[in-house]
């Protein structure tokens, strides 16, 4: 135990000794080291400054460096450093120079830690710099004259080294307000290159500090550096610094850059920068290009760059030889300069080296370079999108002479991840495809792969571009259509049609492309080869191998134009069951594969059994063709024979065999089939049939959307094959009609919460607008109530439009589809028929109302002289009737049961844009449908359509739509509406006369709308519609004729082709083929500045003429040598086509694209540029056969200077022959101005006046009154039918207008007519005034009583404002008298005048005659005044001051409509300005629309009551 303790103590003592020894050793070493350090320090301190100076000059490098380091160590001691700084502030220039030199060395060589002295150091250096620039600041000058420059150089170098890479020190220097300014002054004043260089280095450091920018700019740094960049040109370092500082300062936030850029440009800096672009110094080139970039990106300074002709060449060279960041800037400069500057774009396109390098940029892989390279290509393509000579040339230069490297470089970009890049590329492709001549080249270059790639992306914008591009390409030629199908475009288009897109135009454009592909004329060529060892099918020059023994089935997908699946079946056993039924999976689960082609080869040991196994699969028809062994049953195959089958999968496990070949020798088939039929079959299976099933299986009122399906039907209906499919659908028309009725019955106001129902209604209208261009559907729809539904829609729209414009909402009542009366918010109530009758409010009798209130209401209406007063009176009346109801059997209708919200909405004038667009689309489609229904070509069905449409109220509502629509919309719908109205009010429908030269309505495409006078056309379809005239040029020319001339007024400025065509020219509206696109035609297209004479792909150099705009007049000339030329607004554009063969019979013709309209003038009206027609050219209308007549027209009769009063014919606004002479003279004086106008325009003759054709009543002249009047016998049975008017049914009076049965106050015509009108005059009083005995046709009704309008020239006298009014322009003579007037809806009563143009007379309803001018066209107007329901007529805007009433007094208060006997009139229903001024005021036109709206409402209520 004790030993252990001892051992422990020994160990502890040893450890203590060891530890102590170590500590002692450590302390001893530290003491030795400290002593040695002190020794070294003492040795160093012992060396004097003079000795160190000598050592610093030693030749021994090590010794010299050691001495220098000792000097630096001593001088950087705090007390020594302060001494140096104090020396810098000395008044001794030499001492300052030495001190600055020391500071420069210190701050450059030593990382000096100033210890809070930064400010003092910088202040000292700045003070030295400032004083060095002022010699008076030193009291003792140095003998060295270069001392100031040396001080400056040392000071600048010291400051630069001190502040470099330290923003804090730069901020301190900025606080020295004189420092930056001093440096800038020094830069301008110094002559020392070194000083300038150090100053520039320092300023460059300051410019890199953002806080310094403002002070530097305020100190005038930008002009200084701009000047230096010019003066130091050649010194790459200084010029590089100048450019860099300028670029940095110009990017200061909030700076008005353009002001300083102009200062820079004025110092001619840009020339130096442009030269520096191609410098070998990469940094200099970069900053020079960066400075040019600042000018390019600002629109107000770009023009400085355009003045340097060598700039583009330098940029092009720099683009090839510099790194990516420089290339990016160059591409940006060129892109910005090319923007909106056609001249520079042309220069860029002319730079072939730059164009060759663009594909390299696109393929570089650098995102910025690719982006800006594509931007440049896009901007250059925009210039090429112009359809003129320069545009086509631009695109050719952009694409390059060959190889099409640009397109190939763009192909990989289509699958890029940057959506903006892909969108930009899609838009670029759109511009590239704008030139039709380049389509095939682009397709060959691979553009289809890009477009199809775009269609697969889930981006609505890209889908739109893909659909638009495919549609644009498909319109070019059959070769391009075939290329689209070959590339697999059919699948892309089908998917675009089936996709759910934000933009509905994607579906529509894809469907249109499919329709065009359905007209592909290029056949699908199939080469099938089969022998015992091998087999293959070649399609589109691509082989698909069928080499296996047994039975091989290959399915070729017609959507993607590639193999879908290939299956082989082979039994090796020796015995095969003869009844073997083959199980082929690819045929059983067909699905979307229906319509694909199936190729089958059978060969080998059990070939006969294999063929028998297909017994239930193969189906033969009359179109199946056979080759090889044909004398056996199709399913019988001898041993050791081979069989090849070409078929189409028509249903699961069903193949329609196209061709079958059986042979014991190798089979080699060369087959071809219509690719168009294949496309149409796939469209039928995948799109049309599912769309029809969807529409047929869902109720019309279901909230399930069928908008896409309706859009597809609208487009596919343009193809006859698909149209036949629609005809086979028994429920389609009923469902479409139900969709329309749903909106018509509920009203658009009530459907604001059901936008889908409105969309379905509009879709149904669009479909009907297309299919009603075909005769079959016209007859089908006339047998249904579709017309009534459409008219009810128009009734809704007119109600809304009138309410928004007049602001007076009242209740309307419209019957439902089965005659039920439905309360609906409306516009106007009908006016009372007579004072004693019950007031018809909203078409419902109000027999519970107070009689005095009814009389007061009627009087207030009759005394209203303006529309505002009338509407106000109506509004007051409705408010009085707010709680009135009427009972009709079981139906009870609340007259003003209008929801307050709807009432407020109708009062509001503001409608959203979407609502207005929807309303106009509905109105447009409705007008087109009714136009199509009225345009029957079959004479047997014309009257039927007229009766059906008039019964539905189409006449009144179309007229109301025209009058209540805005001017812009009126221009769109006026042509179809006016044509329809004329068809609906005409009684006779003769064919187009051979003696008139017009557009031939029987020689036009189905969707083209033509005016009633056959001189104006419009296209509202998406197809390319065409028409020719009814006469062609003569095959030989008269010696006196040099050529023919006609004019075309452009009413739009889109794609229109105007020219000439023979009968052999074929139309192809769905294919985009029109006049000029076929070899037997030629045309001028001013929208694209082209001339056309054959297919697009064969028309290469076809640039011609000037670009036209809306309102221009195109003059078309053809000389006797077959040279066709065109003028635009009177400017000759030269000969377009030479040496046309006139023996082929050339017709004036045109083709118009969607929403385009134009009007022809063949010479029956004055030409716009007739004074400029070349000598010998005659109007085209003179080719018509000469009119042979035995009578001499008034135009050919000589005028006599001596007037024969007994033979003179005066106007019927004179009094009756038996009237008092004094009153007669008074009326004559009142109408003196109008009489003088007519007399001036009339050529008096000495011949007797012949009665109008068909008018057998003798005419005598009363010598006392000089008035011609008819003498009627009691038995005379003359009727308007003798003048060609067959509208009156039943018994007729000899005259068609009778006296007014009720008094009329002078408020209608002014006070001047009071004596003539005599409001309270009865029959006896009227006879006492000289009216004479009244002739009657039945002994009761008067036939010759007349009322007169007051003279417009008298005090208080005004021309009456008509309740309804229309005018007819009569431009050329016709043998057939023209009947104009109004009739009742049942056509049992009418008031009409007859115009006998050949005799220049108008037979008025009382059978009196009025002369019309003979030397010009005449405008005949017909107006209605309601109340009292009287008719008046005007000539060239001047009223004939007679009022004519209907035979039945109450007829004038019933709904009326115009009537005429000529369907080829150009009638102005309000689409143009009237010659009769009172009818032009907007409030009066709205009043006409309100009356027509009221007419329809009263008739519908009447029909509902009758039911």
């Amino acid at each position: 135990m004790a030993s252990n303790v001892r051992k422990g103590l020994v160990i502890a003592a040893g450890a203590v000794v060891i530890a102590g020894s170590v500590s002692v050793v450590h302390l001893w070493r530290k003491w030795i080291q400290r002593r040695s350090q002190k020794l070294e320090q003492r040795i160093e301190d012992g060396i004097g400054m003079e000795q160190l100076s000598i050592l610093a000059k030693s030749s021994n490098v090590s010794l010299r460096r050691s001495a220098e380091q000792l000097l630096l160590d001593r001088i950087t001691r705090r007390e020594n450093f302060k001494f140096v700084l104090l020396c810098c502030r000395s008044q001794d220039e030499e001492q300052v120079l030495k001190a600055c030199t020391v500071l420069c060395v210190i701050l450059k060589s030593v990382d000096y830690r100033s210890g809070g002295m930064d400010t003092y150091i910088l202040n000292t250096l700045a003070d030295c710099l400032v004083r060095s620039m002022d010699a008076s600041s030193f009291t003792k000058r140095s003998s060295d004259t270069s001392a100031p420059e040396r001080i400056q150089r040392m000071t600048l170098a010291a400051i630069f080294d001190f502040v470099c890479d330290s923003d804090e020190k730069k901020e301190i220097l900025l606080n020295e307000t004189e420092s930056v300014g001093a440096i800038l002054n020094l830069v301008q004043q110094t002559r020392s290159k070194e000083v300038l260089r150090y100053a520039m280095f320092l300023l460059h450091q300051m410019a890199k500090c953002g806080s310094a920018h403002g002070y530097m700019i305020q100190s005038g740094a930008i002009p200084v550096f701009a000047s230096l960049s010019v003066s130091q040109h050649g010194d790459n370092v200084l010029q590089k610094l100048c450019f860099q500082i300028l670029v940095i300062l110009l990017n200061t936030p909030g700076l008005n850059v353009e002001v300083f850029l102009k200062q820079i440009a004025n110092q001619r800096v840009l020339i130096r920068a442009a030269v520096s672009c191609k410098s070998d110094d990469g940094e200099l080139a970069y900053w020079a290009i960066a400075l040019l970039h600042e000018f390019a990106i600002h629109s107000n300074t770009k023009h400085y760059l355009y003045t340097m002709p060598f700039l583009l060449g330098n940029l092009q060279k720099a683009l090839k030889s510099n790194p990516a960041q420089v290339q990016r800037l160059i591409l940006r400069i060129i892109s910005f300069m090319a923007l909106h500057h056609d001249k520079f774009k042309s220069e860029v396109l002319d730079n072939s080296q730059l164009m060759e390098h663009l594909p390299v940029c696109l393929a570089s892989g650098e995102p910025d370079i690719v982006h800006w390279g594509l931007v440049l290509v896009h901007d250059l393509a925009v210039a090429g999108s112009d359809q003129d000579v320069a545009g086509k040339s631009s695109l050719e230069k952009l694409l390059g002479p060959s190889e099409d490297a640009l397109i190939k470089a763009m192909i990989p970009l289509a699958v890029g991840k940057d959506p903006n890049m892909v969108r930009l590329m899609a838009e670029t492709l759109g511009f590239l495809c704008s030139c039709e001549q380049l389509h095939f080249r682009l397709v060959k270059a691979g553009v289809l792969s890009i477009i199809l790639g775009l269609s697969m992306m889930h981006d609505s914008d890209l889908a739109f571009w893909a659909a638009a591009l495919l549609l644009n390409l498909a319109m070019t030629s059959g070769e391009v259509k075939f290329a689209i199908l070959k590339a697999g475009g059919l699948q892309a288009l089908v998917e675009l049609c089936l996709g759910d897109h934000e933009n509905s135009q994607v579906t529509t454009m894809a469907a249109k492309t499919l329709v065009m592909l359905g007209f592909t004329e290029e056949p699908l060529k199939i080469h099938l080869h089969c022998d015992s060892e091998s087999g293959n099918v070649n399609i589109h020059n691509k082989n698909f191998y069928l080499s296996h023994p047994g039975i091989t089935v290959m399915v070729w997908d017609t959507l993607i134009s590639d193999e879908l699946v290939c299956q082989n079946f082979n039994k090796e056993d020796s015995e095969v069951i003869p009844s073997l039924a083959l199980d082929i999976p690819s045929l059983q689960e067909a699905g979307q594969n229906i319509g694909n082609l199936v190729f089958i080869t059978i060969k080998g040991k059990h070939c006969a059994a294999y063929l028998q196994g297909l017994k239930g699969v193969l189906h033969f028809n009359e179109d199946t063709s056979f080759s090889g062994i044909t004398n056996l049953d199709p399913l019988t195959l001898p041993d050791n024979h081979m069989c090849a089958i070409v078929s189409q999968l028509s249903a699961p496990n069903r193949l329609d065999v196209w061709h079958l070949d059986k042979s014991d020798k190798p089979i080699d088939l060369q087959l071809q089939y219509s690719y168009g039929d294949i496309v149409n079959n796939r469209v039928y299976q995948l799109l049309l049939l599912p769309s029809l099933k969807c529409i047929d299986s869902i109720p019309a009122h279901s909230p399930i959307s069928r908008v896409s399906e309706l859009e597809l039907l609208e487009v596919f209906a343009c193809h006859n094959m698909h149209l036949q499919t629609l005809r086979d659908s028994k429920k389609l028309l009923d469902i479409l009609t139900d969709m329309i009725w749903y909106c018509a019955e509920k009203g658009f106001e009530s459907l604001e919460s059901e936008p889908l129902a409105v969309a379905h209604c509009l879709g149904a209208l669009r479909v009907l607008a297309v299919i009603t261009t075909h005769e079959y559907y016209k007859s089908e729809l006339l047998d249904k109530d579709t017309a009534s539904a459409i008219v009810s829609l128009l009734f809704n729209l007119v109600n809304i439009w009138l309410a928004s414009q007049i602001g007076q909402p009242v209740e309307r009542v419209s019957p439902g589809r089965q005659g039920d009366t439905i309360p609906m918010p409306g516009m106007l109530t009908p006016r009372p028929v007579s004072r004693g009758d019950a007031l018809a409010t909203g078409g419902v009798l109000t027999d519970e109302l107070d009689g005095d209130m009814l009389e007061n209401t009627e009087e207030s209406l009759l005394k209203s002289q303006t529309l505002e007063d009338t509407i106000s009176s109506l509004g007051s009346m409705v408010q009085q009737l707010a709680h009135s109801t009427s009972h009709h059997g079981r139906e009870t209708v609340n007259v003003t049961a209008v929801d307050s919200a709807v009432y407020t909405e109708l009062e509001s004038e503001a409608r959203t844009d979407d609502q207005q667009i929807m309303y106009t689309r509905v109105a447009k489609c409705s007008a087109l449908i009714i136009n199509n229904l009225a345009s029957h070509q079959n004479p047997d069905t014309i009257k039927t359509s007229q009766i059906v449409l008039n019964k539905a109220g189409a006449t009144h509502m179309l007229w109301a739509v025209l009058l209540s629509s805005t001017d812009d919309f009126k221009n769109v719908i006026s042509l179809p509406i006016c044509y329809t109205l004329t068809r609906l009010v005409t009684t006779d429908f003769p064919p187009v006369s051979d003696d008139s030269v017009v557009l031939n309505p029987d020689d036009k495409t189905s969707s083209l709308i033509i005016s009633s006078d056959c001189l104006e056309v419009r296209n509202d379809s998406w197809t390319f519609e065409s028409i020719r005239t009814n006469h062609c040029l003569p095959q030989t020319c008269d010696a006196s004729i040099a050529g023919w001339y006609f004019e075309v007024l452009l009413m739009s400025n889109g794609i229109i082709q105007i020219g000439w065509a023979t009968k052999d020219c074929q139309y192809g509206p769905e294919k985009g083929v029109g006049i000029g696109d076929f070899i037997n035609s030629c045309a001028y297209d001013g929208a694209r500045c082209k001339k056309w004479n054959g297919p697009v792909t064969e028309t290469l150099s076809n640039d011609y003429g000037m670009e036209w705009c809306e309102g221009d007049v195109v003059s078309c000339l053809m000389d006797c040598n077959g040279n066709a030329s065109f003028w635009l607004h009177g400017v000759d554009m030269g000969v377009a086509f030479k040496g046309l063969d006139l023996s082929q019979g050339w017709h004036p013709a045109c083709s118009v694209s969607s929403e385009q309209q134009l009007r022809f003038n063949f010479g029956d009206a004055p030409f716009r540029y007739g004074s400029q027609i070349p000598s010998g050219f005659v109007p085209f209308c003179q080719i018509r056969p000469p009119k042979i007549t035995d009578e001499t027209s008034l135009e050919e009769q000589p005028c006599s200077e001596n007037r024969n009063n007994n033979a003179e014919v005066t106007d019927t606004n004179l009094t009756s022959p038996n009237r008092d002479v004094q009153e007669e003279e008074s009326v004559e004086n009142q109408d003196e101005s109008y009489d003088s106008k007519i007399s001036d325009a009339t050529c008096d003759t000495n011949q007797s006046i012949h009665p109008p054709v068909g008018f057998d009543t003798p005419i005598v002249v009363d010598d006392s009154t000089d008035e011609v009047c008819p003498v009627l016998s009691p038995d005379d049975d003359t009727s308007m039918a003798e003048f060609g008017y067959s509208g009156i049914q039943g018994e007729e009076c000899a005259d068609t207008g009778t006296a007014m049965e009720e008094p009329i106050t002078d408020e209608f015509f002014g006070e001047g007519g009071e004596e003539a009108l005599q409001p309270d005059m009865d029959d006896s009083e009227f006879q006492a005034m000289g009216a004479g005995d009244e002739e009657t046709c039945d002994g009761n009704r008067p036939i010759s009583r007349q009322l007169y309008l007051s003279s417009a020239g008298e005090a208080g006298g005004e021309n009456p404002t008509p309740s309804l009014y229309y005018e007819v322009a009569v431009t050329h003579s016709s043998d057939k008298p023209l009947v104009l007037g109004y009739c009742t809806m049942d056509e049992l009563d009418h008031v009409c005048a007859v115009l006998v143009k050949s005799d220049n007379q108008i037979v008025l309803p009382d059978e009196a005659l009025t002369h019309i001018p003979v030397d010009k066209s005449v405008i005949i107007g017909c107006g209605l005044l309601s109340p009292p329901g009287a008719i008046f007529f005007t000539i060239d805007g001047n009223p004939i001051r007679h009022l004519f009433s209907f035979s039945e007094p109450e007829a004038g208060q019933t709904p009326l409509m115009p009537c005429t006997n000529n369907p080829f009139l150009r009638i102005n229903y309000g689409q143009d300005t009237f010659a009769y001024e009172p009818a032009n005021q907007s409030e009066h036109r709205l009043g006409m629309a309100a009356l027509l709206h009221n007419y329809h409402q009263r008739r519908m209520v009447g029909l509902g009551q009758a039911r």
Side-chain angles (χ1 to χ4, degrees), residues 93 97 128-129 131-135 138 141-155 186 190 192 195:
E93 186 177 25
L97 174 59
C128 289
L129 181 64
R131 289 196 299 151
S132 68
M133 300 171 63
D134 184 6
F138 296 103
R141 298 294 303 276
S142 173
S143 59
D144 187 359
T145 57
S146 64
E149 292 181 354
R150 293 171 63 188
I151 294 174
Q152 294 167 6
R153 179 167 59 85
M154 294 302 174
T155 305
L186 181 61
T190 184
S192 172
V195 173

Side-chain angles (χ1 to χ4, degrees), residues 1388-1429:
L1388 295 179
D1389 200 353
H1390 69 277
V1391 175
C1392 294
V1394 180
L1395 171 64
V1396 185
K1397 187 67 169 62
S1398 59
D1399 290 336
N1400 294 90
Q1401 297 174 346
I1402 293 180
V1403 182
L1404 295 175
D1406 62 349
E1407 297 175 352
L1409 301 181
T1410 295
H1411 257 313
I1412 60 175
V1414 299
D1415 57 347
K1416 64 182 182 69
S1417 61
V1418 63
I1419 298 177
I1420 308 299
C1422 187
L1424 167 69
L1425 297 178
S1426 177

Side-chain angles (χ1 to χ4, degrees), residues 760-909:
H760 287 161
C761 174
L762 181 58
L765 290 171
R766 289 179 178 272
V767 175
L768 292 177
V770 175
I771 65 177
T772 50
T773 59
H774 301 271
E775 293 294 321
Y776 169 80
Y777 281 103
K778 294 178 184 179
S779 302
E780 287 289 314
L781 288 177
L782 289 174
D783 293 338
K784 301 179 181 294
D785 58 352
T786 310
S788 298
I790 295 172
V791 172
S792 296
L793 282 180
L794 296 178
F795 183 77
N796 271 275
L797 293 178
V798 173
N799 185 73
I800 293 173
W801 287 342
L802 290 177
S804 64
Q805 296 179 72
I806 298 177
Q808 180 61 53
V810 292
E811 182 67 13
R812 67 169 172 81
V813 179
S814 179
R817 188 173 182 179
Q818 283 75 33
D820 301 330
T821 53
I822 302 173
M824 303 176 71
M827 181 56 225
L828 294 175
T829 57
R831 297 178 181 179
V833 176
S834 63
R835 186 168 297 180
D837 298 335
L839 180 64
T841 304
V844 182
L845 298 178
T846 55
D847 50 8
E848 300 178 1
L849 301 180
D850 181 71
D852 294 338
M853 182 180 69
L854 297 181
E855 289 189 4
N856 294 335
T857 301
E858 182 185 8
E859 291 176 358
S860 67
L861 292 178
L862 293 176
K863 293 179 180 179
S864 298
Q865 299 184 25
T866 65
L867 179 65
E868 290 83 353
D869 296 335
T870 303
I871 298 300
S872 177
S873 301
L874 289 171
S876 301
M877 177 181 65
V878 172
Q879 292 174 3
Q880 294 175 10
L881 303 177
H883 302 289
S884 301
T885 58
S886 176
H887 304 279
H888 297 279
R890 299 179 181 179
E891 298 295 336
T892 302
V893 181
N894 189 342
V895 178
T896 57
V898 184
D899 183 81
S900 59
V902 178
Y903 189 97
T904 303
E905 183 177 359
L906 288 175
E907 283 186 322
S908 175
E909 295 181 359

Side-chain angles (χ1 to χ4, degrees), residues 1154-1230:
S1154 180
E1155 297 183 354
Q1156 304 303 309
Q1157 186 171 341
L1158 66 161
R1159 182 171 182 82
F1160 284 77
N1161 179 8
F1162 297 113
D1164 288 319
F1167 286 125
R1168 179 78 64 86
Y1169 299 100
S1171 61
Q1172 303 179 29
I1173 299 177
S1175 176
F1177 278 76
V1178 297
F1180 184 77
C1181 66
Q1182 294 188 14
I1183 66 164
R1184 60 190 171 204
K1187 184 178 178 181
I1188 302 176
T1189 179
D1190 294 334
E1191 298 181 1
T1192 304
S1193 66
L1194 286 179
E1195 289 84 346
E1196 298 172 347
Q1197 295 174 1
C1199 294
S1200 174
E1201 295 294 338
N1202 299 321
R1203 301 172 62 94
N1204 188 337
N1205 293 332
N1206 292 333
E1208 183 181 7
V1209 180
T1210 59
D1211 297 323
T1212 55
N1213 52 7
L1214 300 177
T1215 57
S1216 177
N1218 297 324
R1219 194 124 181 197
D1220 181 74
V1221 175
Q1222 182 178 0
E1223 183 178 356
E1224 173 187 275
E1225 293 175 352
S1226 173
V1227 175
E1228 287 180 347
N1229 293 333
Q1230 292 174 6

Side-chain angles (χ1 to χ4, degrees), residues 698 700-710 739 742-743 751-764:
I698 301 176
H701 306 158
S702 172
I704 300 176
S705 175
R706 283 145 291 165
V707 175
S708 297
E709 287 76 10
L710 291 170
M739 290 179 177
Y742 183 74
C743 286
L751 291 173
E752 290 186 358
S753 60
E754 300 181 57
L756 195 58
V758 179
H760 287 161
C761 174
L762 181 58

Side-chain angles (χ1 to χ4, degrees), residues 410-616:
M410 292 173 64
I411 292 177
L413 303 181
V415 294
K417 297 182 180 180
D418 186 353
N420 295 326
M421 184 83 71
V422 178
R423 287 192 184 95
L424 187 63
M425 188 196 60
E427 189 173 348
T428 303
L429 288 178
F431 294 128
L432 291 175
C433 292
S434 62
C435 183
E436 296 176 341
Q437 286 84 357
L438 296 177
H439 282 183
F440 195 60
R441 178 180 173 182
L442 292 171
V443 170
K444 290 174 62 178
V447 73
L448 284 176
S449 62
I450 303 178
I451 298 174
L452 297 180
L454 296 177
S455 67
M456 300 299 177
M457 296 184 179
H458 302 288
D459 187 295
S460 58
D461 294 336
L462 297 180
F464 173 84
W465 274 106
L469 289 170
L470 289 172
L471 177 60
N472 193 13
L473 292 173
M475 296 175 64
T476 306
S477 63
E479 291 86 351
V480 176
K481 293 185 181 72
F482 185 78
I484 294 174
L485 295 171
K486 183 178 177 180
L490 190 56
Q491 181 183 35
L493 290 167
V494 170
E495 291 180 356
L496 287 174
C497 288
L498 295 174
D500 186 13
H501 308 287
E502 296 179 3
N503 190 340
S504 62
Q505 294 185 23
V506 175
T507 301
T508 303
M509 289 188 296
K512 291 177 181 178
T513 308
L514 288 172
V515 171
M516 290 189 172
L517 295 180
F519 290 97
T520 302
E521 298 175 356
E522 189 79 15
L524 175 65
K525 297 180 180 180
I526 301 172
H527 181 199
L528 190 151
H529 175 80
C530 179
D531 56 31
S532 58
E533 300 296 332
S534 63
N536 70 283
V537 178
N538 184 282
I539 305 176
H540 299 325
N541 298 321
K542 183 177 181 180
N543 285 319
F544 305 94
Y545 295 98
L546 310 172
S547 303
H548 301 286
I551 178 171
T552 303
V553 179
M554 191 270 285
V555 180
W556 190 77
D557 195 337
T558 54
L559 293 178
I560 61 175
S561 295
D562 204 351
E563 177 184 309
L564 183 63
V565 65
C566 185
Q567 297 172 321
N568 177 259
F569 305 91
N570 187 25
K571 295 286 185 178
E572 296 295 339
D573 52 341
S574 58
E575 296 182 0
V576 178
I577 301 176
S579 60
L580 172 68
L582 294 177
D583 185 11
I584 304 177
S586 60
L587 304 182
Q588 292 178 350
E589 299 178 0
Q592 289 192 351
N593 294 329
I594 295 178
N596 287 334
L597 302 186
V598 179
F599 300 91
I600 302 176
T601 59
I602 303 175
K603 55 186 176 181
K605 184 176 180 180
H606 305 295
C607 58
Y610 288 136
L611 184 58
Q612 286 293 327
L614 296 175
K615 182 177 181 180

Side-chain angles (χ1 to χ4, degrees), residues 1094-1189:
V1096 174
T1097 53
E1098 300 176 9
T1099 307
L1100 299 179
S1101 299
N1102 66 330
D1103 302 308
Y1104 175 80
M1106 300 178 292
E1107 184 177 0
W1108 60 34
C1109 59
E1110 183 177 345
D1112 282 347
V1113 173
V1114 178
S1115 305
C1116 305
L1117 298 86
M1118 176 79 78
D1119 66 20
C1120 292
N1121 297 320
N1123 299 321
S1125 58
F1126 299 91
W1127 297 354
L1128 186 61
H1129 44 74
V1131 178
D1132 187 359
M1133 296 183 291
V1135 175
F1137 308 98
K1138 297 181 179 180
L1140 299 177
D1141 185 4
L1142 296 183
S1143 64
Q1144 296 184 7
W1146 293 86
H1147 298 250
C1150 72
S1151 295
V1152 290
S1153 60
S1154 180
E1155 297 183 354
Q1156 304 303 309
Q1157 186 171 341
L1158 66 161
R1159 182 171 182 82
F1160 284 77
N1161 179 8
F1162 297 113
D1164 288 319
F1167 286 125
R1168 179 78 64 86
Y1169 299 100
S1171 61
Q1172 303 179 29
I1173 299 177
S1175 176
F1177 278 76
V1178 297
F1180 184 77
C1181 66
Q1182 294 188 14
I1183 66 164
R1184 60 190 171 204
K1187 184 178 178 181
I1188 302 176
T1189 179

